[in-house]
């Protein structure tokens, strides 16, 4: 089915470890973004991209890196995991930068840092 | 989420109407959205409304927008147990090179049989 695919679905990391959360979409969307969801706080934007080779920071970018080498993929890297990064991470994509069409969300990656 | 507020919980009986409320602060928002999140799943777009509209109806869903008060509501008619989920309102804002959705905290709707 067309949509946004995130892997892995669950991950446990030790403090200080690094890892990459994968996100891929097959809808030829130009716009992709990463959000984190924490209880009682809704979703907060980490990084986003308006096309291949173009990325920018969102509200909470510290501790995360992104790159966009293709239209389809937008991986999120945790450089040195901290317990504060325990969260559910959602990747989302859209055409027309989301206006009027909303975003298509992946099913999420639940990350626990111990 | 910053500046978008929702109540956290709502409980209704099956067959009743549910009304979920949301307030936002950015008067320049062009689109406002309602998303539904079921347990363990991502967010599903339910409906959206453009800022020059007052109301939008889509089957059992009615969205009301009061721009003067910056108030958005989602009414679900004939609420069913399958409607139990977390509902997020979100406003679209232009941001740096692109745009972003600003989400409320989410309202957990519980539908009792």
């Amino acid at each position: 089915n067309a949509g946004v695919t995130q892997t892995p679905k669950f991950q446990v990391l030790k403090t200080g470890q690094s890892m990459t959360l994968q996100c891929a979409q097959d809808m030829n969307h130009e716009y992709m973004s990463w959000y984190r969801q924490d209880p009682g706080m809704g979703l907060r934007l980490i990084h986003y991209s308006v096309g291949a080779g173009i990325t920018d920071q969102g509200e909470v970018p510290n501790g995360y890196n992104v790159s966009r080498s293709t239209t389809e993929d937008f991986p999120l890297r945790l450089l040195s995991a901290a317990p504060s990064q325990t969260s559910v991470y959602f990747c989302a994509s859209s055409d027309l930068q989301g206006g009027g069409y909303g975003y298509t969300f992946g099913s999420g990656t639940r990350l626990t840092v111990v | 989420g910053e500046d978008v507020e929702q109540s956290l919980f709502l409980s209704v009986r099956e067959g009743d109407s549910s009304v979920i409320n949301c307030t936002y602060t950015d008067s320049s928002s062009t689109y406002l959205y309602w998303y539904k999140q079921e347990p363990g799943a991502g967010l599903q777009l339910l409906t959206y409304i453009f800022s020059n509209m007052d109301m939008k109806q889509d089957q059992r869903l009615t969205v009301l927008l009061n721009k003067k008060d910056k108030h958005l509501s989602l009414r679900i008619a004939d609420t069913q147990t399958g409607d139990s989920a977390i509902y997020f309102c979100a406003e679209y804002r232009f941001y740096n090179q692109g745009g972003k959705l600003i989400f409320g905290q989410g309202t957990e709707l519980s539908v009792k049989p």
Side-chain angles (χ1 to χ4, degrees), chain A residues 31 35 37 40-43 45 48 54 56-59 90 97-103 105-107, chain B residues 1-2 31 33 35 37 40-43 45 48 88 92 95-105:
Chain A
Y31 185 83
Y35 285 82
Q37 181 180 21
M41 299 186 74
L43 283 79
L45 181 66
Y48 69 97
I54 307 169
D56 204 351
Q57 296 180 348
E59 304 166 69
F90 288 101
Q97 298 179 10
Y101 294 86
Y103 294 1
F105 282 82
S107 57
Chain B
E2 60 189 29
Y31 293 95
Y33 302 90
Y35 281 87
Q37 185 181 34
L43 276 72
L45 178 65
Y48 67 91
F88 291 93
Y92 179 77
Y95 182 78
N96 292 345
Q97 297 186 72
K100 65 175 179 176
L101 294 183
I102 305 295
F103 286 88
Q105 308 96 314

